Each structure stands twice: as structure tokens, then as C-alpha cells.
Amino acid sequence: MNVLISGGSGFLGSAFSRELMARYRAQNKDVAITWLTRNSGQPHPDDINMMTYDEFAVSDMSFDVILNLAGAGIADSRWSDERKEELMASRIKPTQSILDFIARASTKPKLLVSGSAIGWYGTQGDKPLTENSDYETDFAHTLCDEWEQLALKATNHDVPVAIVRTGVVIHPEGGMVAKLLLPFKFGVGGQLGDGQQIMSWISREDWVSAVIFIIEQQLEFTNESDVNYIESLAQDNAPINDSTSKTASGTANNRNAVVYNLTAPNPVTNHTFTKALGSWLHRPTFFTLPEFLLKLMFGEMSTLLIDGQKVLPQALLDAGYSFKHSTLQQALENQK
């Protein structure tokens, strides 16, 4: 299998690359991974191929799967107008490069897996949300939706698309946990606001395994003339090109696309997360950051911390995926 990854050196892309290489080599299967990069001198593992975007723009290579993860971190800094433009451009430009490649490729990829986030659903409190749920409009939704709708245009070239809406990824090497380690280790960690906001999370190991699961299920059916796996899933999944539904906009052929929520089946409150993280680190969690202070510190971006989302992985469960870490305690205690 020949895989191209945008954002391959990041928190998720690097872990995916390591695991896919390890699994396929253990099974004596051929696998090659190429990372798209803007810096040709970027450090990388010896067994990873590198390709700049300029090289990609004229490349005639073929790839079985493209994994599109490029994008600046949404929670890395306040959402100024300039930062919002940067967040959008960091997702749209790489995705457009991939679409341009797909359009001219003589041998099309068998699957495009394109990143997104559960922010697509907007702020909806503790309402259970599945891939068929409606959205509420806010900046996070707009950012995710424009990214998704662009990626879905790959279906116009008969390339199936799997959109993966990711929750809070649990691993000390990155994401929210990495940001919280230092204050918690110093004993000044605590809950945010009233602590009742729901956090939809997934362990990094499950995120990687779920993406491999999605890819392998699609490729398994690629050569069966009477079965399109993505189309069969889409019949029961989000109607992403139904102009009469709030869950969709754009021009993609929804028979060739499916959405997955990459979250664990047991979301938790911020209070529960805080206590679990403190217990794992053997540190107290007495402090509380009040809502007004979070809004003062982070502005509009504070919605990511204050307003919860209860997002459930219905499509993954329906497809038969078995979570390695279905509880937060498992995710914290069994890092890989």
C-alpha cells in the first residue's frame, strides 16, 4: 500500500505512520509512506519518503490512500481575525493541492481520508451527537465545514472520501494533555468553569487504529465490482450532500462519502477529566479557573474550554470497530 500524508510529521500523522509501518511489516505486507512538506530539510524517519508541495504539484506518482491532516492547531492561540485566516488557509491550501493532484492523476487514489473535528457540530451542550446530527453555526463549525466541503469534491473524480471528525486526543506527547502536564505536575491543575461541560475524547492509539480500520475496510471492497463500501455506509450515515438537511452543504456525491466521529464511546465531564488526570499524575486538583477568567484569557477561543460537546462514534461502532480504550482511565494508563 502506498500512502501519502499531509501533516505527516504532526502529533497524529507521525503516530499513524509508525503504527502502519509496524503492522504491515509484521504481516510481510508492502507499505510505503510519503509525507507532504513545505520544508525539504524537515527531519523525518529514514523509512519515510518526503515530497515538497512544489514537487507534488507536478508529480505523476500514484497513491492508494491519501490522508489529509495538515492544519494549524485550533487551540494554539487566541482567535484574532488574522489567526482565523491562518487556521482556514492552513487547511484549505493543502487540501486544494490534493484535489489538484487527484484531478490530473491518471491513476486515482482508492480513498481520501480527510481530517476534520467535532467542532463541526458547534456548541450543543450535553445533547448526544452522532454523524447524523445537525450543527449549530459558530467559527469552529465554519472552519470544519469549509475544510470538509473542499475535500468532498474528490468524489467528483470518483475518489471515495472518508471524513474523520476528531475529538480531544489523549496522549502526553501532544494535544490537550501535553498542555496540561506542567501545571498539573506542579499541583496547580484544576477544572475549567463549573466542570460540567462534556469532553468527547479518544486515545491516540484508538485514533490511529480507527483510521487504519477505515482504510482497510474500504480497500477490502475496492476490487469488488458490485460493492462500494463507502456507498453502503453512507446509506446509514450523515447525508452530507442533502441540500434539505442541516447536516450538509456543498456539491459532493454523498454515495461516495462517509463521516466518522473519532471519539471514544464514553465522553466525560471536565470535572471527571480533571480528577482522572490528577490521579494519573498523583497530583491534587484543587484549583478552578472560573468562566469569566477563561473568557478574559482566551476570548472567543474559550468556547473550546467552556462549552462541551457530547459526540458519539456511532459510525465506527456500527462498522464493527472495537475500542482499545473505551474509558478515560484506560486511555491515561495505557499510553503507546
Side-chain angles (χ1 to χ4, degrees):
M1 179 163 60
N2 196 3
V3 181
L4 176 75
I5 309 177
S6 68
S9 63
F11 172 53
L12 297 177
S14 58
F16 172 87
S17 300
R18 288 193 300 270
E19 181 64 18
L20 188 68
M21 283 282 194
R23 286 195 195 189
Y24 275 53
R25 287 176 176 175
Q27 299 169 19
N28 293 317
K29 293 181 179 179
D30 292 332
V31 60
I33 296 178
T34 300
W35 287 355
L36 266 179
T37 180
R38 299 197 181 282
N39 178 11
S40 59
Q42 182 183 37
H44 61 280
D46 293 338
D47 50 6
I48 298 292
N49 303 311
M50 301 293 280
M51 179 183 291
T52 67
Y53 278 90
D54 288 340
E55 293 169 336
F56 186 50
V58 295
S59 174
D60 60 357
M61 290 182 62
S62 62
F63 298 97
D64 297 299
V65 175
I66 297 178
L67 178 57
N68 180 29
L69 300 175
I74 191 171
D76 288 352
S77 62
R78 290 174 66 101
W79 291 347
S80 64
D81 290 343
E82 182 180 2
R83 179 60 176 171
K84 287 181 177 181
E85 291 178 4
E86 180 183 356
L87 289 170
M88 188 69 75
S90 69
R91 289 157 172 77
I92 296 302
K93 289 181 179 179
T95 305
Q96 186 61 58
S97 295
I98 290 169
L99 286 173
D100 292 343
F101 169 82
I102 288 173
R104 71 171 187 275
S106 55
T107 302
K108 307 295 186 187
K110 298 172 184 175
L111 178 66
L112 169 62
V113 180
S114 197
S116 185
I118 60 173
W120 185 90
Y121 298 100
T123 299
Q124 301 200 49
D126 59 359
K127 175 184 176 181
L129 302 170
T130 70
E131 291 83 356
N132 287 300
S133 296
D134 291 347
Y135 63 82
E136 294 294 333
T137 301
D138 57 16
F139 172 68
H141 166 77
T142 300
L143 178 68
C144 293
D145 193 56
E146 291 197 23
W147 192 14
E148 290 185 14
Q149 294 306 321
L150 183 59
L152 288 169
K153 290 183 179 180
T155 62
N156 296 334
H157 303 284
D158 295 322
V159 174
V161 176
I163 299 292
V164 289
R165 293 175 181 159
T166 298
V168 175
V169 181
I170 302 297
H171 196 279
E173 289 183 2
M176 176 183 284
V177 174
K179 289 181 171 66
L180 293 176
L181 281 181
L182 188 61
F184 270 74
K185 285 181 177 179
F186 278 101
V188 293
Q191 74 181 32
L192 306 177
D194 65 9
Q196 296 309 300
Q197 64 272 39
I198 302 295
M199 189 182 84
S200 298
W201 60 274
I202 186 170
S203 72
R204 188 171 71 169
E205 185 178 353
D206 266 316
W207 188 94
V208 168
S209 294
V211 173
I212 294 175
F213 174 85
I214 292 165
I215 289 171
E216 290 183 337
Q217 285 214 328
Q218 167 60 18
L219 296 189
E220 179 182 351
F221 289 95
T222 296
N223 296 321
E224 297 186 20
S225 59
D226 295 330
V227 179
N228 184 316
Y229 179 67
I230 289 288
E231 181 173 346
S232 68
L233 281 178
Q235 292 175 359
D236 298 316
N237 205 337
I240 54 180
N241 189 42
D242 182 352
S243 60
T244 66
S245 171
K246 285 185 67 180
T247 60
S249 60
T251 59
N253 177 358
N254 71 332
R255 294 185 306 164
N256 290 321
V258 67
V259 174
Y260 291 91
N261 292 332
L262 295 196
T263 58
N266 296 300
V268 298
T269 64
N270 176 259
H271 176 80
T272 298
F273 170 77
T274 300
K275 294 301 181 184
L277 186 58
S279 176
W280 177 58
L281 294 171
H282 305 290
R283 292 293 186 271
T285 56
F286 300 133
F287 290 87
T288 296
L289 276 175
E291 183 174 323
F292 81 88
L293 185 57
L294 290 168
K295 290 181 177 179
L296 184 64
M297 292 169 62
F298 300 109
E300 185 182 356
M301 195 192 76
S302 64
T303 185
L304 300 177
L305 307 173
I306 298 169
D307 301 313
Q309 290 178 304
K310 188 175 184 178
V311 180
L312 304 174
Q314 195 61 54
L316 270 180
L317 294 173
D318 289 347
Y321 179 76
S322 179
F323 280 85
K324 302 175 185 297
H325 305 138
S326 58
T327 69
L328 182 62
Q329 199 67 34
Q330 289 174 336
L332 290 171
E333 292 177 355
N334 298 282
Q335 300 293 344
K336 180 179 178 182

